[in-house]
């Protein structure tokens, strides 16, 4: 079995997928930067501007969501004095507020940008001067359906994690483990559990989104196919998602430092230079979104190639023999023979 495993062609490593993604991006630089990145630009602007709206004011959505989440955690019996739940409620409130603000741009410009990338990489020679709008429209509907399904799935993943945390905290509290050390230990374990559940849900949803665009069939089936393809390759998918997440978070921090901070704390007006710098940062955000989509497409291609190899190798071939005398006796007997390549 070990020799058979070593003889198979291994899946491309993370570094190889990243290098190939960058090479594909640079090879079709004009297409991705003048087409896909510009399509994603309104979404990037909305995401970055939503960070500026996350301020504690009566007209903002953020304090309302934050107070509701804190009330929910308090009703569930979570220790709000724990730093984990304080940070979790704050980040969830920011994510929900930002997602609601950018939702119209997400369902239009972001999906159009991803569709343009998928449409380009599905072609044998993706060297187009501008995206083909008719092909993008054909891909857009499956992407929209899959994105809506992914949204409910991520909400379900969060609800599952909170349910497990609720049962754990109340179970230990019922047995008298309510000391600060026990709470700290359980909070650390809860942070790890929540991160694992959410990370797996996000990478599977991201792969399902690209898969639905490639096969032009979205929804539940795209997610099931993504679950099958990512099986055994979760670590590679996580290591691919990590650089993109860090890069996007760094660009958001840059926008906060260069645009939001001078505007809020120093009382500066939005000058033309500041607007130009903000648009440049938003464009950089769009470029990394396109590059992340390219990497996901390359990863999906690697999964498809290795799945075909496994099927062609035929590790387990079964032959069922129906014995005539057993059938005449009123039952069927089968013999399965295992053939190794």
């Amino acid at each position: 079995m070990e020799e058979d495993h070593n003889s198979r062609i291994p899946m491309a490593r993370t570094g190889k997928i990243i290098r190939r993604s960058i090479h594909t991006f640079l090879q079709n630089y004009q297409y991705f930067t003048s087409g896909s990145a510009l399509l994603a630009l309104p979404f990037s602007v909305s995401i970055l501007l939503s960070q500026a709206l996350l301020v504690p004011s009566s007209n903002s959505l953020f304090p309302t969501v934050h107070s509701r989440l804190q009330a929910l955690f308090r009703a569930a019996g979570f220790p709000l004095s724990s730093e984990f739940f304080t940070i979790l409620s704050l980040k969830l409130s920011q994510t929900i507020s930002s997602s609601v603000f950018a939702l119209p741009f997400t369902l239009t410009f972001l999906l159009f940008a991803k569709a343009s990338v998928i449409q380009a990489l599905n072609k044998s020679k993706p060297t187009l001067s501008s995206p083909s709008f008719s092909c993008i429209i054909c891909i857009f509907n499956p992407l929209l359906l899959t994105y809506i399904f992914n949204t409910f799935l991520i909400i379900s993943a969060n609800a599952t994690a909170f349910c497990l945390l609720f049962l754990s905290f109340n179970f230990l509290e019922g047995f008298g483990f309510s000391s600060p050390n026990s709470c700290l230990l359980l909070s650390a374990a809860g942070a790890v559990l929540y991160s694992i559940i959410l990370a797996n849900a996000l990478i599977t949803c991201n792969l399902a989104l690209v898969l639905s665009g490639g096969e032009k069939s979205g929804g539940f089936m795209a997610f099931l196919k993504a679950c099958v393809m990512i099986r055994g390759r979760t670590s590679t998918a996580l290591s691919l998602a990590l650089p993109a997440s860090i890069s996007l978070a760094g660009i958001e921090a840059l926008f906060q430092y260069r645009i939001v901070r001078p505007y809020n704390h120093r009382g500066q007006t939005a000058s033309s230079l500041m607007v130009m710098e903000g648009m440049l940062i938003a464009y950089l955000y769009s470029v990394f979104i396109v590059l992340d989509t390219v990497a996901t497409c390359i990863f999906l291609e690697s999964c498809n190639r290795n799945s075909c190899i496994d099927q062609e190798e035929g590790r387990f071939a079964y032959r069922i023999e129906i014995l005539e005398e057993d059938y005449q006796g009123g039952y069927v007997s089968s013999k399965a023979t295992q053939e190794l390549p």
Side-chain angles (χ1 to χ4, degrees):
M1 183 66 66
E2 185 178 357
E3 292 179 358
D4 176 71
H5 175 75
N6 293 331
S7 63
R8 291 185 300 169
I9 300 177
M11 192 183 69
R13 295 180 180 272
T14 305
K16 184 177 180 180
I17 295 177
I18 293 177
R19 290 194 299 269
R20 187 180 172 190
S21 302
I22 296 175
H23 173 74
T24 303
F25 179 83
L26 295 178
Q27 190 178 14
N28 306 277
Y29 178 79
Q30 184 177 1
Y31 174 87
F32 289 132
T33 55
S34 63
S36 303
L38 290 180
L39 283 174
L41 184 59
F43 166 78
S44 302
V45 172
S46 66
I47 286 291
L48 295 177
L49 286 180
S50 65
Q51 306 296 323
L53 300 178
L54 300 180
V55 293
S57 63
S58 58
N59 296 326
S60 177
L61 180 64
F62 170 70
T64 303
V65 175
H66 191 208
S67 61
R68 297 289 184 182
L69 278 179
Q70 284 186 324
L72 180 62
F73 286 171
R74 191 181 299 110
F78 294 145
L80 296 181
S81 58
S82 175
E83 186 177 357
F84 166 66
F85 287 103
T86 302
I87 297 176
L88 180 61
S89 62
L90 180 63
K91 296 303 294 182
L92 277 178
S93 302
Q94 292 176 349
T95 302
I96 293 173
S97 303
S98 179
S99 300
V100 170
F101 179 81
L103 183 61
F105 303 93
T106 304
L107 297 179
T108 52
F109 293 101
L110 177 63
L111 296 184
F112 275 123
K114 287 183 175 293
S116 67
V117 175
I118 297 170
Q119 181 255 339
L121 295 181
N122 278 341
K123 292 182 174 296
S124 57
K125 295 181 179 180
T127 55
L128 305 176
S129 59
S130 61
S132 176
F133 188 73
S134 59
C135 295
I136 292 176
I137 289 296
C138 295
I139 300 176
F140 176 79
N141 291 330
L143 286 179
L144 179 60
L145 183 61
T146 306
Y147 185 86
I148 294 174
F149 177 81
N150 289 346
T151 302
F152 287 105
L153 187 70
I154 292 174
I155 294 175
S156 301
N158 281 275
T160 302
F162 290 147
C163 182
L164 293 176
L165 292 175
F166 168 76
L167 293 176
S168 301
F169 273 96
N170 284 273
F171 180 79
L172 291 180
E173 185 178 357
F175 281 90
F177 296 96
S178 57
S179 62
N181 292 331
S182 301
C183 181
L184 179 61
L185 180 61
L186 190 57
S187 298
V192 174
L193 176 64
Y194 180 79
S195 301
I196 292 175
I197 293 176
L198 191 61
N200 281 273
L202 288 174
I203 61 175
T204 308
C205 290
N206 191 26
L207 185 62
L209 194 65
V210 175
L211 181 64
S212 64
E215 297 188 354
K216 297 182 181 180
S217 61
F220 181 68
M221 290 304 299
F223 179 79
L224 285 181
K225 291 179 182 179
C227 290
V228 173
M229 286 188 174
I230 208 173
R231 186 177 58 183
R233 305 174 177 95
T234 307
S235 59
T236 305
L238 287 173
S239 57
L240 281 175
L242 185 61
S245 300
I246 293 176
S247 301
L248 294 178
I251 296 175
E252 291 178 2
L254 178 64
F255 186 82
Q256 289 282 337
Y257 178 75
R258 295 294 302 172
I259 306 299
V260 178
R261 184 181 177 185
Y263 184 80
N264 289 335
H265 297 283
R266 301 178 185 176
Q268 295 183 2
T269 58
S271 61
S272 58
L273 183 61
M274 183 180 294
V275 172
M276 291 293 294
E277 186 177 2
M279 293 299 296
L280 180 60
I281 296 174
Y283 180 76
L284 184 62
Y285 195 91
S286 302
V287 169
F288 273 92
I289 290 176
V290 172
L291 187 57
D292 177 59
T293 308
V294 172
T296 307
C297 292
I298 300 297
F299 174 68
L300 179 62
E301 181 183 348
S302 176
C303 293
N304 286 327
R305 183 170 60 252
N306 285 273
S307 297
C308 293
I309 291 174
D310 290 339
Q311 292 176 2
E312 290 176 358
E313 285 182 352
R315 293 182 58 193
F316 298 100
Y318 294 96
R319 180 168 54 90
I320 299 177
E321 297 179 353
I322 300 178
L323 302 182
E324 183 178 357
E325 60 272 19
D326 293 338
Y327 180 77
Q328 293 176 355
Y331 63 93
V332 176
S333 174
S334 62
K335 293 182 179 180
T337 60
Q338 178 178 337
E339 298 177 2
L340 293 177

